[in-house]
Amino acid sequence: MLPKMPKPLLEINGLKKYFDVKGGVFGRKVGEVKAVDDVSFTVMEGEILGIVGESGCGKSTTGKSILRLIEPSDGEVKFEDQDITHLDPEEMRKLRRDMQIIFQDPYASLNPRHTVEKIVGEPLLVHGMTSSEDRKKRVKELLEVVGLSGYHASRYPHQFSGGQRQRIGIARALANNPKLIICDEPVSALDVSVQSQILNLMQELREEFHLTYVFIAHDLSVVKHISDRVGVMYLGRMVELTDKDKLYEDPKHPYTQALLSAVPTPDPDEVRERVILEGDVPSPSNPPTGCAFHTRCPRAMDICKEVRPQFEEVEDNHFVACHLYT
Amino acid sequence: MSDVVLELKDLHTHFFTDSGEVPAVDGVSLTVHKGEVVGVVGESGCGKSVTSLSVMQLVPNPPGKIVDGEINFKDENLVHASKKRMKEIRGNEIAMIFQEPMTSLDPLFTIGNQLIEGLRLHEKISKKEARNRSIELLKLVGIPRADQVVDEYPHQLSGGMRQRVMIAMSMACNPELLIADEPTTALDVTIQAQILDLMRNLNKEKETAIMLITHDLGVVAEICDRVVVMYAGKVIEEGTTREILKSPNHPYTKGLIRSLPNMKQKEQKLYSIPGTVPKPKMGRVGCRFAPRCEFAFERCFQEDPELFQLENNRSSRCFLNDETEGDVTKNAETTIRN
Ligand SMILES: Nc1ncnc2c1ncn2[C@@H]1O[C@H](COP(=O)(O)OP(=O)(O)OP(=O)(O)O)[C@@H](O)[C@H]1O
Ligand SMILES: Nc1ncnc2c1ncn2[C@@H]1O[C@H](COP(=O)(O)OP(=O)(O)OP(=O)(O)O)[C@@H](O)[C@H]1O
Ligand code: SF4
Ligand code: SF4
Ligand SMILES: [Mg+2]
Ligand SMILES: [Mg+2]
């Protein structure tokens, strides 16, 4: 349960990230990919905010922009009431002790020439644990916490399976007892038993240290299990955000409805009504006018093609960007 | 069904590391028939990817080596195939979707370069044709602005887009066998459904045999005919999808299914199998699952259980199926019921 007076730990206001699209012989800029296009949300201390959405809709870019691993094009990121978008690299480096990320692609994010000992121990060293004995001990501890063993410490990333690598990334993020962890698909490569072990661990850490997470994932049952609130993104924008129970019981945005109906269940007997999305996924470099979802929305109306729906609170604590509710 | 496309017979793939020999794949036998979709599930690190890399002869050597067993692809034992022959087979007769797209996408070349090269390796078509085909393939796997993405580099794509590029590549050449290692981990459910549809069509129309490695039991229920469950380098249970998901026999499979988060219930804590996988090492005796098994009895620590054949072509590597163990089995059943 959340404490009585939760404070915001992270506040995102109007976050945007546009990437240049280059083309032609001279590689000139021919357009922009609006990977994140005006996203705002708040995460309370000790809260787990889940983020789901279509592949390519800007979830990872949002996560990396929050930590300024890529520079946002516009918008404000406040961490503990401090606007961090203008901090210099040295100040940012200090802050990263409190703000960690578990990257989506473990293979690309672990240095292949370093042993696990070095990879997980590095952040400890950077933030002042100079005794190599202490580091060794802590690394061993962290590996055990994520279901690996001390003997794994001397190995290199390529010697692990996909799920084991993912857990190395988790151990590294936990190393310095951060306050906030952006988890980008942290359990996507794990079998369900190891997955439940990691999810239980994350919950325990949250209870014990009041840790806060932004939890990006596409597995909706995992997100439902772990999150307090869930945000749904589509084409660079947040389209729905509310408590997890409300979202799953009463999804309002037609995209959320389609998403929930497409979850495969492990019960071979369950028959479900599926909303199949028609039409191509639109391009973030040339997003549809009005509501970005109108090209595929089964309930689109005339106004949807022209006017972009505002992201508004349509019920208590239930935010939706859709003309059906205005 | 007699059209066996792939048959693994007692496959052993080991890694020879500084700290000793690691039997990552420790006697795996399985078959995939023409037109069949076989799911392979199991604990992280149990040898699923190494099994599939062995089929493709892509296990890094050294330190890895196939030390024993057969890999029969139709009538050919690939263990003895020449490098040249393997090159012909890969991406042509057998295609593979790798677990981590960045391991097989070259960061220095555009998506188009890589797709075009792949297409032209196997078909005599012009560069222009190959480029158009590439764009079509990207559209087929649901990638927006395909005509731009074709000129972009892997790092400019999202995780799920990279994964779909790999899927596009693997489907390009109409393989007879498709090995897909966690192909949809980075995809949201709507695109996942679309990709599963593509795979199903490939499977139905061209009778492509598919070996699908996944930890997502929902995906298994959706598309697989049969399921093979692995644990610590061995196959421990096999059966039709329905039977495995509805009435698992092996205690590990039971634990796996119990660990699933459920969208309907609101439990705070998820079940998880206690303990962790033991360090793989040579010369181990006894059931690999015994240290974590709630039904383990003395014999489990002393002997390797064989794969017991049960009715309906099912099999399970657990002594509880041994009829001579009457008492133990009964006890275990009462425990399960409680
Ligand atoms: N470095 C980059 N340069 C150019 N475009 C980029 C870059 N990184 C991401 N993009 C583009 O931004 C968009 C959003 O990508 P992002 O990785 O944030 O998606 P995502 O929601 O995390 O998707 P997934 O679920 O597939 O991981 C995509 O269209 C992608 O092509
Ligand atoms: N190059 C290597 N050197 C030493 N050990 C290795 C090497 N590659 C893999 N292994 C080991 O082999 C075992 C099997 O790995 P594999 O990648 O097949 O697992 P997996 O079943 O695919 O797991 P996951 O679901 O996590 O992807 C693991 O214990 C891993 O640590
Ligand atoms: S605004 Fe219109 S197009 Fe957009 S989701 Fe709502 S109904 Fe559909
Ligand atoms: S053989 Fe024994 S230890 Fe192994 S799964 Fe069966 S009961 Fe458990
Ligand atoms: Mg991503
Ligand atoms: Mg693997």
Side-chain angles (χ1 to χ4, degrees):
Chain A
M1 278 295 103
L2 292 174
K4 273 203 191 97
M5 294 256 282
K7 281 202 319 239
L9 182 75
L10 183 70
E11 284 178 80
I12 316 292
N13 285 316
L15 187 71
K16 290 185 186 168
K17 178 67 199 179
Y18 295 176
F19 292 106
D20 290 349
V21 178
K22 301 210 166 78
V25 219
F26 303 109
R28 256 195 302 247
K29 179 173 164 179
V30 295
E32 280 175 331
V33 172
K34 298 183 173 171
V36 181
D37 196 13
D38 197 1
V39 166
S40 306
F41 59 86
T42 301
V43 191
M44 297 298 177
E45 210 175 66
E47 185 184 35
I48 304 184
L49 176 74
I51 296 187
V52 299
E54 185 143 57
S55 168
C57 72
K59 302 179 297 294
S60 299
T61 306
T62 302
K64 289 184 203 159
S65 307
I66 291 173
L67 294 195
R68 287 182 57 208
L69 296 170
I70 45 185
E71 283 301 332
S73 313
D74 197 7
E76 185 188 54
V77 178
K78 275 165 91 180
F79 181 70
E80 295 191 307
D81 289 330
Q82 180 188 21
D83 182 357
I84 63 168
T85 33
H86 303 292
L87 293 185
D88 64 38
E90 176 56 24
E91 289 170 307
M92 219 30 233
R93 196 184 63 80
K94 281 199 200 119
L95 208 65
R96 289 222 178 92
R97 178 191 180 129
D98 292 335
M99 305 172 82
Q100 282 291 327
I101 183 164
I102 300 168
F103 289 99
Q104 179 171 14
D105 188 338
Y107 188 79
S109 71
L110 302 174
N111 188 330
R113 280 178 294 277
H114 289 176
T115 60
V116 168
E117 165 119 42
K118 180 134 197 228
I119 291 170
V120 180
E122 176 80 23
L124 294 169
L125 180 65
V126 169
H127 293 288
M129 192 184 274
T130 45
S131 145
S132 81
E133 272 311 298
D134 290 355
R135 281 206 307 275
K136 256 205 173 85
K137 225 177 93 205
R138 177 80 178 132
V139 169
K140 181 165 180 285
E141 235 171 62
L142 286 162
L143 290 177
E144 280 166 5
V145 152
V146 296
L148 296 171
S149 308
Y151 73 84
H152 285 122
S154 58
R155 293 216 205 154
Y156 293 88
H158 72 269
Q159 297 179 308
F160 288 88
S161 76
Q164 289 168 337
R165 272 198 283 270
Q166 201 163 43
R167 284 180 273 168
I168 298 169
I170 298 175
R172 176 176 61 183
L174 293 175
N176 277 316
N177 299 323
K179 292 182 186 157
L180 171 75
I181 307 183
I182 312 270
C183 312
D184 195 355
E185 305 275 9
V187 294
S188 63
L190 302 177
D191 64 276
V192 282
S193 172
V194 175
Q195 172 179 294
S196 59
Q197 216 171 309
I198 298 283
L199 294 177
N200 286 341
L201 167 77
M202 295 178 84
Q203 251 161 357
E204 279 160 30
L205 290 171
R206 184 260 282 263
E207 271 144 40
E208 212 169 314
F209 302 110
H210 225 61
L211 219 66
T212 306
Y213 304 95
V214 174
F215 195 98
I216 301 168
H218 70 278
D219 185 326
L220 291 156
S221 43
V222 167
V223 170
K224 169 150 194 214
H225 178 80
I226 192 126
S227 310
D228 299 307
R229 284 184 306 148
V230 179
V232 182
M233 285 181 70
Y234 186 80
L235 215 66
R237 294 168 189 171
M238 195 70 90
V239 296
E240 184 158 4
L241 175 67
T242 185
D243 296 343
K244 68 163 167 201
D245 291 334
K246 274 198 196 153
L247 188 87
Y248 285 73
E249 276 152 31
D250 181 22
K252 297 217 181 283
H253 197 282
Y255 175 65
T256 315
Q257 291 167 355
L259 199 63
L260 287 175
S261 78
V263 182
T265 68
D267 184 347
D269 290 335
E270 195 175 308
V271 231
R272 280 163 318 140
E273 190 83 11
R274 223 185 228 173
V275 187
I276 305 280
L277 287 179
E278 304 281 335
D280 290 339
V281 183
S283 156
S285 67
N286 183 21
T289 53
C291 171
F293 189 52
H294 86 249
T295 52
R296 302 164 80 199
C297 179
R299 303 175 65 184
M301 306 164 286
D302 286 342
I303 181 179
C304 305
K305 297 192 188 95
E306 275 141 40
V307 185
R308 175 172 166 180
Q310 292 298 313
F311 189 56
E312 281 171 346
E313 191 165 11
V314 299
E315 267 170 28
D316 198 23
N317 249 325
H318 198 150
F319 294 82
V320 186
C322 171
H323 290 305
L324 290 171
Y325 305 96
T326 48
Chain B
M1 277 205 275
S2 61
D3 299 346
V4 175
V5 175
L6 178 72
E7 180 189 36
L8 303 185
K9 266 194 183 158
D10 199 28
L11 181 70
H12 289 260
T13 306
H14 294 187
F15 289 99
F16 296 84
T17 66
D18 294 345
S19 46
E21 190 174 343
V22 181
V25 177
D26 195 15
V28 165
S29 302
L30 61 87
T31 43
V32 187
H33 298 90
K34 191 174 173 144
E36 192 182 32
V37 186
V38 175
V40 180
V41 302
E43 182 103 8
S44 172
C46 70
K48 304 180 294 293
S49 297
V50 176
T51 300
S52 47
L53 290 173
S54 302
V55 175
M56 301 300 272
Q57 303 279 313
L58 287 175
V59 177
N61 178 7
K65 194 169 185 306
I66 297 175
V67 293
D68 202 5
E70 292 174 27
I71 299 170
N72 298 315
F73 175 60
K74 295 184 293 182
D75 298 322
E76 198 175 351
N77 184 351
L78 299 185
V79 175
H80 303 304
S82 67
K83 285 218 166 76
K84 184 163 162 281
R85 175 72 186 123
M86 277 318 297
K87 240 187 152 155
E88 271 168 31
I89 290 178
R90 280 198 290 265
N92 213 1
E93 290 160 63
I94 309 181
M96 176 156 176
I97 302 169
F98 293 88
Q99 182 168 13
E100 283 157 296
M102 283 314 265
T103 51
S104 55
L105 290 176
D106 191 326
L108 302 177
F109 289 92
T110 63
I111 301 301
N113 284 147
Q114 309 191 37
L115 275 168
I116 291 166
E117 191 201 7
L119 284 168
R120 291 191 20 143
L121 214 59
H122 300 285
E123 261 179 275
K124 288 203 174 50
I125 48 174
S126 73
K127 267 211 167 119
K128 181 134 184 42
E129 268 175 276
R131 187 184 156 86
N132 289 338
R133 277 278 299 282
S134 304
I135 296 175
E136 264 168 51
L137 282 166
L138 292 175
K139 285 190 182 148
L140 198 66
V141 291
I143 291 188
R145 60 185 186 93
D147 49 336
Q148 287 175 354
V149 168
V150 75
D151 293 321
E152 292 185 350
Y153 292 88
H155 78 268
Q156 294 176 296
L157 309 191
S158 79
M161 289 162 79
R162 283 180 206 149
Q163 207 166 32
R164 281 177 281 161
V165 168
M166 297 264 316
I167 295 169
M169 280 181 177
S170 73
M171 292 185 170
C173 306
N174 291 326
E176 284 173 64
L177 171 68
L178 174 65
I179 302 179
D181 194 353
E182 305 277 9
T184 59
T185 44
L187 304 179
D188 65 276
V189 288
T190 57
I191 291 185
Q192 172 170 287
Q194 193 181 333
I195 296 291
L196 293 180
D197 267 349
L198 271 177
M199 289 174 76
R200 205 177 290 120
N201 288 345
L202 195 70
N203 168 256
K204 289 278 161 316
E205 281 162 24
K206 310 250 162 71
E207 294 210 288
T208 310
I210 301 181
M211 177 169 145
L212 177 71
I213 300 172
T214 177
H215 66 274
D216 189 331
L217 297 173
V219 170
V220 168
E222 194 95 335
I223 186 170
C224 296
D225 303 310
R226 243 168 1 103
V227 186
V228 169
V229 187
M230 286 180 65
Y231 187 82
K234 287 188 188 307
V235 172
I236 54 112
E237 180 160 11
E238 207 187 321
T240 62
T241 302
R242 161 174 293 274
E243 281 182 290
I244 298 279
L245 295 179
K246 283 269 174 187
S247 54
N249 176 287
H250 196 282
Y252 171 69
T253 319
K254 288 189 171 128
L256 201 62
I257 289 170
R258 240 180 103 186
S259 311
L260 275 172
N262 185 327
M263 296 250 284
K264 285 176 202 119
Q265 76 209 20
K266 295 185 181 175
E267 262 165 41
Q268 261 312 299
K269 213 168 165 73
L270 291 167
Y271 175 77
S272 104
I273 302 170
T276 52
V277 192
K279 179 176 178 175
K281 62 171 186 237
M282 300 298 291
R284 194 185 291 281
V285 286
C287 172
R288 303 296 187 272
F289 190 56
R292 305 172 71 189
C293 179
E294 54 183 316
F295 310 115
F297 54 103
E298 223 178 312
R299 186 178 175 196
C300 306
F301 294 92
Q302 291 156 352
E303 267 179 67
D304 281 7
E306 64 193 277
L307 203 54
F308 290 91
Q309 299 301 321
L310 314 174
E311 72 279 17
N312 301 333
N313 275 329
R314 275 187 84 169
S315 52
S316 168
R317 195 181 289 282
C318 171
F319 283 130
L320 296 178
N321 298 299
D322 188 350
E323 270 148 34
T324 58
E325 295 287 354
D327 284 353
V328 187
T329 322
K330 255 187 237 110
N331 288 344
E333 269 164 15
T334 26
T335 330
I336 297 171
R337 262 184 231 115
N338 293 338

